[in-house]
Amino acid sequence: MSRVLIVEDEEHLAAGLKLNLEAEGHAAEVEENGAVALERLVRADPDGSRFDVVLLDVMLPGLDGFEVVRRLRAARQFVPVMLLTARSSTDDVLHGFEAGADDYLPKPFDLPILLARVEGLLRRRRWLRGDEADGLEQELDEYRVAGRCIDFRHQVVRGGDGAADQPLTVMEATLLGYLVRHEGETVSRKTLLEEVWGVRQDTDTRTVDNFVARLRRYIEPEPARPRHLLTVRGVGYRFAGPPEGDS
Ligand code: CA
């Protein structure tokens, strides 16, 4: 059973989500105020073990959803977050990802789609933690590149000129793992959206660019001149491992 926190101030919507998540076998709790939800997630649950996923509305009393997820990540709490946004403009979506959200769904949404996306986040989290194979093969526990060690199991990048460990969100770790496993192959943005996010039409491909820009900051000594997370113009991205003899 997974535990879901629903942060939503529209009472009927929150109640409907709770009912349906419970019908799917999850435990669900509702919080209607952004500031109170943040307090609950950070102070009462510093290691992020109480909830497995957070559904976070953007327009909320107290603090808006963008600010909640930004402060959550600043507090180094990395529970998977799906933003529910009534405003589906691309800028809002990118703003959400930049703040540290893992996924988003524009309102109004179809319930089966929401439930499928929640399952997707839960499955990726279990997969990264090695809790179950679930049809996905996790071949990688660790990978060393540019003086850093990417620890997929614990979702963290260690090392890099004495820098502090950089925790990864579920989707950052999943995307990085996918590119590393396909080392040397050019992968299109569309393929990444399908394989990593599990979405087909409704996500802007700039989502991928936004995540890659973040990952470069974590693993590239010079993020503006990447040597490992390479852009393939007009197509997508290619991961290049360390040169022979290097580690
Ligand atoms: Ca709202």
Side-chain angles (χ1 to χ4, degrees):
M1 181 177 70
S2 298
R3 295 144 309 166
V4 183
L5 179 63
I6 303 160
V7 189
E8 170 62 75
D9 61 319
E10 288 165 52
E11 222 174 287
H12 285 92
L13 181 54
L17 286 172
K18 184 173 191 295
L19 190 71
N20 281 280
L21 285 162
E22 286 171 349
E24 295 286 309
H26 304 304
E29 294 179 42
V30 174
E31 185 53 64
E32 60 189 31
N33 181 290
V36 177
L38 180 70
E39 178 76 16
R40 224 174 134 175
L41 288 165
V42 173
R43 295 275 158 70
D45 186 26
D47 62 355
S49 61
R50 181 154 165 63
F51 294 102
D52 298 297
V53 68
V54 177
L55 299 182
L56 181 60
D57 186 30
V58 170
M59 303 295 280
L60 287 169
L63 279 178
D64 72 31
F66 296 136
E67 197 55 25
V68 171
V69 72
R70 197 186 66 72
R71 293 192 193 185
L72 198 56
R73 298 320 188 206
R76 301 172 85 77
Q77 219 272 36
F78 291 90
V79 61
V81 171
M82 177 177 305
L83 279 179
L84 305 176
T85 169
R87 309 177 300 178
S88 64
S89 89
T90 302
D91 284 348
D92 280 342
V93 172
L94 295 181
H95 186 42
F97 282 129
E98 188 60 39
D102 294 285
D103 204 354
Y104 82 100
L105 202 56
K107 288 178 174 176
F109 47 78
D110 293 330
L111 198 58
I113 291 179
L114 176 119
L115 294 173
R117 298 278 278 271
V118 167
E119 286 303 330
L121 279 175
L122 292 169
R123 191 162 136 254
R124 279 168 184 79
R125 188 181 214 212
R126 289 194 297 264
W127 176 51
L128 284 165
R129 297 189 166 187
D131 291 348
E132 67 183 61
D134 217 9
L136 290 168
E137 204 178 339
Q138 172 60 295
E139 303 153 34
L140 275 174
D141 280 341
E142 290 186 350
Y143 189 89
R144 290 176 191 281
V145 65
R148 291 153 174 83
C149 175
I150 306 163
D151 179 343
F152 288 98
R153 176 70 56 100
H154 297 98
Q155 290 175 232
V156 65
V157 177
R158 305 183 200 283
D161 301 327
D165 289 354
Q166 171 63 54
L168 302 169
T169 68
V170 169
M171 297 311 287
E172 287 170 349
T174 307
L175 174 61
L176 191 52
Y178 187 90
L179 289 167
V180 168
R181 286 199 313 281
H182 292 82
E183 182 177 341
E185 294 173 30
T186 297
V187 187
S188 72
R189 290 175 177 80
K190 189 168 164 289
T191 298
L192 289 170
L193 282 175
E194 290 178 4
E195 297 293 324
V196 175
W197 276 266
V199 297
R200 308 233 172 252
Q201 311 112 355
D202 55 344
T203 301
D204 194 290
T205 53
R206 276 182 291 172
T207 298
V208 178
D209 304 335
N210 185 269
F211 269 76
V212 169
R214 273 154 61 185
L215 292 176
R216 281 177 176 152
R217 292 202 294 272
Y218 305 157
I219 70 161
E220 296 281 359
E222 293 180 83
R225 298 175 58 205
R227 292 169 51 207
H228 303 290
L229 287 167
L230 307 175
T231 300
V232 181
R233 278 187 76 158
V235 185
Y237 294 99
R238 178 166 57 85
F239 181 80
E244 289 282 326
D246 197 1
S247 65

